Amino acid sequence: MLVNLKQILKEAKAGNYAIGAFNTPNLEILQAVIAAAEETQSPLILNHAQIHEKIAPLDLIGPLMLKLAHESSAEICLHLDHGEDQEYISRAIKIGFTSVMFDGSKLPYQENLDQSKKIVEMAHTQNVSVEAELGRVLRPEGGGVDPAEEDLKAEDYYTDPQKAHDFCQATGIDALAISFGTAHGVYDIEPKLDFNRISLIRQETDIPLVMHGGSGLSDDDFLKAIAAGINKVNYFTYLSLAGGDAVKAMFKQKATLRFDEISECAQLAMQKHAREKMLLFKNNVAGH
Ligand SMILES: [Zn+2]
C-alpha cells in the first residue's frame, strides 16, 4: 500500500530503527526490493533519483512504481531522490509520489533554506513530505567525481548541529539528510564516520535524519548510525553490485547466456541482498 514518508519515519523514529530507501532505475531492481519488503514485512521507500532520468525516465518508471506500491502488501513510500529543480519535483508529485527530496546542498546556506522552504510550501498543500539536505555528501549520486570537490576533505562539509536546528525550524521540512563522513558510490578507502555528530544533530532537531552514501558500510557502522539517530538509509550502489557479481559468477559456469537468464539471476541476488539489509536496518540482527 502507498504511504507517506512522514508517517513511516515517525514510527521508525519512535522505534529506533531505520527504513531502507532503495533506488530502482530498472524493473529487476524494483521487483527485487518490493519482494524483499514483503518477505521481511518491512516498510520500504522506493527512490527515483533525478540523475537516473536518462536510464529510467520518470514519466515511464514513476507510474509503474506507483502501481506496484498500491498492489503490494508492504507499506511503500514513493520518493523523489535528489530533486534539483521545482519543475521535476512537481512532475513527480503529479504522478503520485508521496515524498520528494530537494537537494540544495551545493547552494549557499540561505539559498538552500529559501528554496527548501518554497518546496515545502508547495508539497505540503498536496500532503507530500519533503526531505532536504544540509552539509554535503561527497561525490554525485550515480558515481564519478564532482570537479568542484577535488581538493575538499569530507570534514569541510559535515552538517553543523546548530545550523541544522535553525534550518529545520525555518523550512518546516519532514526529514533532513545530513553529512557525517559517508560518500556516494563505491568506497576506495574505509570511511571515517562521525557518529557523535549524528547524536548532536539528533539533540538539536526533532525530525528524522537521513543517511546518504550508506551502501558499502559495515553492519556495525549501520547499527551505530541508527542507534545515534538515523531513520532513513539511502542505499543503491552495493545493491546493484550484488546483481552484477551474481551475473559474473554465472558466466563462469556458462559462457553463453540469454538476457532473461541474466536479468533473473541479478534480480534474485539483489532481492537476497535487500532482504539482509532490511533486517539489519530494523535491528533484527538475529535474522540477518
Ligand atoms: Zn544521495
Side-chain angles (χ1 to χ4, degrees):
M1 73 211 74
L2 185 67
V3 295
N4 190 280
L5 184 77
K6 199 176 170 178
Q7 177 194 331
I8 51 174
L9 285 189
K10 194 176 159 193
E11 288 162 21
K13 188 166 172 270
N16 297 316
Y17 61 90
I19 300 173
F22 300 93
N23 292 81
T24 57
N26 58 53
L27 183 61
E28 288 78 8
I29 204 162
L30 182 56
Q31 288 181 303
V33 295
I34 291 175
E38 289 171 351
E39 279 176 334
T40 59
Q41 299 185 327
S42 306
L44 167 66
I45 299 160
L46 291 177
N47 271 357
H48 174 75
Q50 186 166 353
I51 203 160
H52 283 150
E53 178 64 23
K54 269 189 209 151
I55 54 170
L58 175 63
D59 293 342
L60 282 180
I61 198 127
L64 179 61
M65 290 164 78
L66 183 68
K67 178 179 160 59
L68 293 175
H70 275 305
E71 289 172 358
S72 176
S73 61
E75 288 183 321
I76 299 181
C77 164
L78 245 58
H79 178 77
L80 180 71
D81 188 29
H82 291 281
E84 289 162 13
D85 58 85
Q86 186 152 357
E87 188 274 330
Y88 199 82
I89 290 172
S90 298
R91 264 169 64 198
I93 294 175
K94 222 172 178 181
I95 287 170
F97 278 55
T98 51
S99 176
V100 294
M101 176 192 188
F102 170 67
D103 181 359
S105 61
K106 289 182 184 174
L107 300 172
Y109 175 79
Q110 191 59 41
E111 211 173 312
N112 183 8
L113 188 152
D114 291 343
Q115 290 204 30
S116 299
K117 196 175 166 193
K118 240 191 223 167
I119 299 291
V120 168
E121 282 162 6
M122 183 263 291
H124 279 186
T125 58
Q126 296 168 84
N127 197 27
V128 169
S129 315
V130 178
E131 173 186 335
E133 181 168 328
L134 188 63
R136 198 195 300 179
V137 177
L138 289 183
R139 299 206 297 253
E141 184 80 21
V145 175
D146 185 332
E149 292 174 347
E150 251 173 325
D151 300 326
L152 295 169
K153 297 191 294 296
E155 290 88 329
D156 296 334
Y157 280 115
Y158 282 4
T159 307
D160 177 83
Q162 184 57 45
K163 271 191 177 164
H165 168 87
D166 299 346
F167 189 88
C168 293
Q169 290 281 325
T171 55
I173 52 170
D174 305 289
L176 179 69
I178 59 169
S179 167
F180 59 96
T182 58
H184 288 118
V186 175
Y187 287 101
D188 310 323
I189 49 163
E190 205 180 314
K192 280 201 190 78
L193 305 178
D194 185 353
F195 296 106
N196 189 42
R197 187 168 294 261
I198 306 174
S199 307
L200 292 174
I201 299 168
R202 163 83 301 138
Q203 286 163 22
E204 291 293 335
T205 59
D206 197 34
I207 58 171
L209 302 178
V210 182
M211 168 161 78
H212 283 243
S215 73
L217 303 184
S218 70
D219 287 1
D220 195 41
D221 283 341
F222 277 120
L223 294 177
K224 277 192 205 154
I226 292 165
I230 291 292
N231 296 122
K232 171 174 176 271
V233 176
N234 274 38
Y235 200 97
F236 173 61
T237 306
Y238 282 72
L239 176 65
S240 190
L241 282 175
D245 287 346
V247 170
K248 205 158 103 183
M250 196 164 70
F251 268 110
K252 282 191 183 147
Q253 309 284 323
K254 223 172 148 189
T256 312
L257 289 163
R258 297 193 317 270
F259 183 72
D260 59 287
E261 293 174 309
I262 295 170
S263 71
E264 188 188 7
C265 168
Q267 184 175 324
L268 290 172
M270 292 189 292
Q271 183 177 332
K272 180 172 176 282
H273 189 92
R275 197 163 56 214
E276 288 169 3
K277 295 305 162 198
M278 286 172 185
L279 293 173
L280 178 69
F281 299 159
K282 285 202 295 189
N283 288 318
N284 188 354
V285 185
H288 174 61

